[in-house]
Amino acid sequence: MDLLSALPDDVRSHILSFLTTKEAALTSVLSKKWRYMFTRVPVLDVDDSDFLHPWIFMAFVDRVLSLQGDSPIERFTLKCEDGVDPERVNGWICNALRRGVSELDLSINFEDEDYLLPREMFVSKSLVKLKLTSEFGLHWCTGPDATFLPMLKTLHIASEMINMDCDVKMEKFLACFPVLEEAEMTSMDWIDPVDTVFSPTLKKLTVHTTGMKTIQNPKSISFDTPSLLFLAYSDYAAEDYPLVKLNNVAVARIALSLTEDQTRRMRAPRKDLSEGDVVLQFGNAVKLMNGLQNVKELHLHPDTLEVLSQCCESMPVFNNLKMLIITSDEDRGWQAMPALLRNCPQLEFLLIKGLVHHVTNQCGDACDCIHKKHKGRSLKSCPVKMFVIRGFTGTMKEINMIEHFLDYFPCLKEMNIYVEEDVPTPLKYDRRFTERVLEMIEEFDYSYNCSVQLLYDGLHNEDSEMIT
């Protein structure tokens, strides 16, 4: 007898739980002792792409469920698309619910707009984790008492569209999950232009919205989540953020989107804007930032920097901020950068992805694009010790910017410059150009009291090798 077969049944069942159900079923040919072992695994993980034909897939799942009987099930992972019978799918989901499943991970890609998830799923008393993914759309069962998941702690919805049977605002939707701790909702629309993200239990929240169906910018978005520790918020800039209770958020990623027309109008003189123009209200984004004053790590999208240019004079002080990550874009300005850097008295780590940006008169000393006698002291008052630059292409403009930062940051000890791996640059194919850039970097390293390194892009590989 082999050592694996000699293990207790519970141990072998646990080992099989790390395999897909099809892979676990293949062990049944090993010996009589293994024949039905896969049916004792409290995990069902099936994917129709692993089978040649949908009818084979459906027969396999039916057979496994039949062999398992009424035994408890902990997790059900299902991936299927057109060709699989929707009624069979709902039957499998209900089977798992009756057996007390605590985790559902459903990736259902039916083009049929009339497909409805089973109502039993929305009132389960056993579900702790629920993940719904679809390339098309899913119908969420709503209404006065249609949804109530009292044990749900993790909710993940990723779909091009979530269709509600009736209009339900976010505030009422989240009330259906009284112990929810983690929520991720992507590609969603606001139902009402005035809404509140309210939950006393949420600790981690990721929201990616596509604006509204009738208007792009919501009127008013509030956050009443006093227990929240992590926030990733992507949305069209709202006209107002009247209530923001995010005092415990330690990590925030903010992307307030703008249209090209809104960006153009926002840069125009205020007198050129008509009364009631939505861009006149974008200065209210400072209310959102005020609610994040205790954040320790802050990520800002290029559009967010543009929006914050409307409230530079009222920018809050981030006394706890240690890490600032900025993504830059050649069509978006850095007007807010001086105010940001001045108001981060404890900042130690600064990362900028891309040194390109739209040059304006308000960049101050955050860049070296416009030569002025008096540029301000935002860099000289910034205590950053480590500076990372991503997306370096080797242009003289970038090199001048790097020298500018080395000149102005008084506490800088280390600068790492990463070359973009998947973007062709002269640094990739012109050895002489690369040698010239390396010589400049070496001069920086010797001329300043700071270690300067040129590296391959490390966004996906923490063990990046040096170009040299």
Side-chain angles (χ1 to χ4, degrees), residues 182-186 188 204-208 228 230-234:
E182 181 177 339
E184 181 174 347
M185 292 168 281
T186 61
M188 59 163 279
K204 184 176 182 179
L205 175 64
T206 300
V207 177
H208 178 269
L228 202 65
F230 172 92
L231 173 65
Y233 176 50
S234 175

Side-chain angles (χ1 to χ4, degrees), residues 234-252:
S234 175
D235 191 7
Y236 276 94
E239 295 182 36
D240 198 9
Y241 300 90
L243 176 65
V244 182
K245 290 185 179 180
L246 298 169
N247 295 337
N248 290 314
V249 172
V251 180

